[in-house]
Amino acid sequence: MNDTTMTVVGNLVDEPRLRVTKNGHSVANFRVASTSRRYDSEAGKWIDNATLFVTVTCWRSLAENVIGSLHKGQPVVVSGRYYMREYTVEEATRTAYELEANAVGHDLTRGIAEFRKVSRQPVVSRVELDSEGIPLDESDHYLDLADDDLAELHASADAEPALAG
């Protein structure tokens, strides 16, 4: 995959905001400001370059953990996929750049943090069983097969395999 990945070290500009999609997935957004510095030997001091502001999006459990861990002003390290999104406002096309995070943490060069593992309820799914207690083959519900293919699939499944003696 040819994703553009990026790591940003900076400070949170605002409090992370949590929302839930129509499908029930958690998504958190926040912005990070990163200002690089260089030493000016002629002036004998450090000089700040322009500040880069990056919008960060986190999904699912990462989003929930970010909400419980990060606050405005804290130093962070964010790594993920950097991409461009185009949208239209009042018939004008605009461009936004966003970092979809796959890892977020406090910048430990500037402080200490304590890790606490989070336990979430497992997702429970129901599996239909046949009379022998074996899970049923439900593939005809999700495979895009024509009716002829389904009949052939069921006929081959019903045939007894030949056993070598």
Side-chain angles (χ1 to χ4, degrees):
M1 194 176 280
N2 292 326
D3 287 340
T4 301
T5 58
M6 182 166 83
T7 300
V8 176
V9 178
N11 294 316
L12 260 69
V13 175
D14 44 23
E15 285 293 322
R17 184 174 68 143
L18 181 68
R19 294 172 289 142
V20 178
T21 66
K22 293 175 187 174
N23 294 331
H25 301 295
S26 298
V27 60
N29 296 92
F30 58 90
R31 290 179 304 143
V32 174
S34 179
T35 306
S36 63
R37 305 183 86 195
R38 65 175 181 82
Y39 186 75
D40 186 343
S41 57
E42 291 178 12
K45 63 180 183 177
W46 288 94
I47 297 176
D48 288 345
N49 291 319
T51 300
L52 170 69
F53 291 92
V54 178
T55 300
V56 178
T57 301
C58 304
W59 290 94
R60 297 176 180 79
S61 62
L62 178 58
E64 294 169 17
N65 292 342
V66 159
I67 293 299
S69 302
L70 301 182
H71 300 285
K72 180 179 179 178
Q74 291 182 335
V76 294
V77 179
V78 181
S79 183
R81 182 174 68 101
Y82 194 62
Y83 66 96
M84 178 187 78
R85 181 188 318 260
E86 289 184 346
Y87 60 98
T88 304
V89 175
E90 298 177 7
E91 298 182 18
T93 300
R94 296 187 181 181
T95 303
Y97 294 92
E98 194 169 327
L99 182 61
E100 186 176 297
N102 57 32
V104 178
H106 286 104
D107 182 356
L108 298 181
T109 62
R110 301 182 41 209
I112 61 171
E114 182 178 320
F115 180 78
R116 192 172 65 242
K117 186 162 175 64
V118 177
S119 296
R120 290 189 172 74
Q121 294 295 329
V123 176
V124 178
S125 62
R126 188 168 167 236
V127 177
E128 297 291 329
L129 304 176
D130 65 11
S131 60
E132 297 175 10
I134 299 172
L136 291 173
D137 179 10
E138 299 287 330
S139 61
D140 56 337
H141 295 291
Y142 59 83
L143 291 176
D144 190 20
L145 300 175
D147 289 338
D148 295 342
D149 294 334
L150 282 174
E152 184 179 315
L153 182 68
H154 288 295
S156 64
D158 292 338
E160 290 286 327
L163 297 175

